[in-house]
Amino acid sequence: MTAPAEHGSAGSATARPVPVPADAKADAEALADASGDTGGAPAGRLGAGVWTALVVVYVVWGSTYLAIRIAVETMPSFLSAAARFLTAGLLLAGFVAVRHGRAGLRVDARQLGSAALVGLLLLTGGNGLVVLGETSVPSGLAALLVAAVPIWMVLLTAAGGERPRRAELAGVLLGLVGLAVLSAPAIGGSIAPAGVVAIICATLTWASGSFASKRIRMPGNVFASSAYQMLAGGLGNLLIGLARGEERGLRPGDVSTRSWLALAFLVVFGSLVAFTAYAWLLRAAPLTLVATYAYVNPVVAVLLGWLVLAEPLTGPTLLGGAVVVAGVCLVVSVSRGSGRKPARASARKAVRESARG
């Protein structure tokens, strides 16, 4: 995937590139087209761009738990997260400036505030707390705990007036059963309670940021929006890291080569590629469909633990993974048939707002 803005029309089986325009109204109209808004015509299937972005988020984010665990072996938690997102945010902002000029980064105060809020919720409260938790919690268990995100998303969606379908709730419950089977062997071990609490709090803030991003006015250019979110989240992590005194005694020479490589992977793939794809999905796909990444990520994390760290694939792991995948398939099947309306409505709202401006 070259960029999450390159997606296909929902009514076509082949993808066609749609460049991200700098103008907010044109960008919103492009988003409406990507979401399958054909001016009253049947919505059809989700576009190829949505499925490509989902696969990226499924696989890449599943691998970031292992990368985070390796990074914090010799790096402080919040400062490593700050380095990751500040670097990625600057690189992405530079890409937007080169491709679209200053107009691509131009936002009003309301859009900038919205991007900063979402960035703090997702990348400081969400990712930062996960990084902190992984200093004492194994990466696989951290991924399993983060799988609680869809629970909060469903509850937040219901609180917002969108009643979940029974099949969606059944898929959530089925996925949780699979996660319970997966996590049962790990719970019996010795795990630091503070790390578990930190990751649970991270799931709450991440779900809140995801929910808010679909209901507040964000920058029209998805790349610029992601850049501002990363910069805000990175600054938040930096301030917390400094407040915790993580810079004391920190010497770059003491950081291992594998930790540097893990950080580089997190910057390029975890942030520039996967987070931008996630930010785009929050606009172009149903929230319940986007939330399924939290079911797949633990499976990827467990498999990587087996491949990289030689962790055994036990019966509960195989059984739980199968149940999780079944839950994902159920939620996806419901979203494919009826989840297009929220995305199209959001796109139309963006067009109306930009037209007023």
Side-chain angles (χ1 to χ4, degrees), residues 222-239:
V222 70
F223 292 106
S225 179
S226 296
Y228 288 128
Q229 290 175 55
M230 290 180 196
L231 291 173
L235 287 174
N237 282 313
L238 177 62
L239 293 176

Side-chain angles (χ1 to χ4, degrees), residues 265-277:
F265 175 86
L266 291 169
V267 169
V268 176
F269 295 99
S271 296
L272 290 176
V273 177
F275 181 75
T276 304

Side-chain angles (χ1 to χ4, degrees), residues 12 42 99 110 143 146 149 166 175 183 188 218 240 242 279 287 341:
S12 173
R99 186 174 181 183
R110 180 181 174 186
V146 173
V149 166
R166 291 183 180 180
S183 60
M218 300 290 289
I240 294 177
L242 294 176
L287 188 59
K341 294 181 180 179

Side-chain angles (χ1 to χ4, degrees), residues 68-85:
I68 289 172
R69 183 67 174 171
I70 295 174
V72 298
E73 288 176 349
T74 56
M75 289 182 175
S77 54
F78 281 100
L79 289 186
S80 67
R84 169 187 175 181
F85 292 116

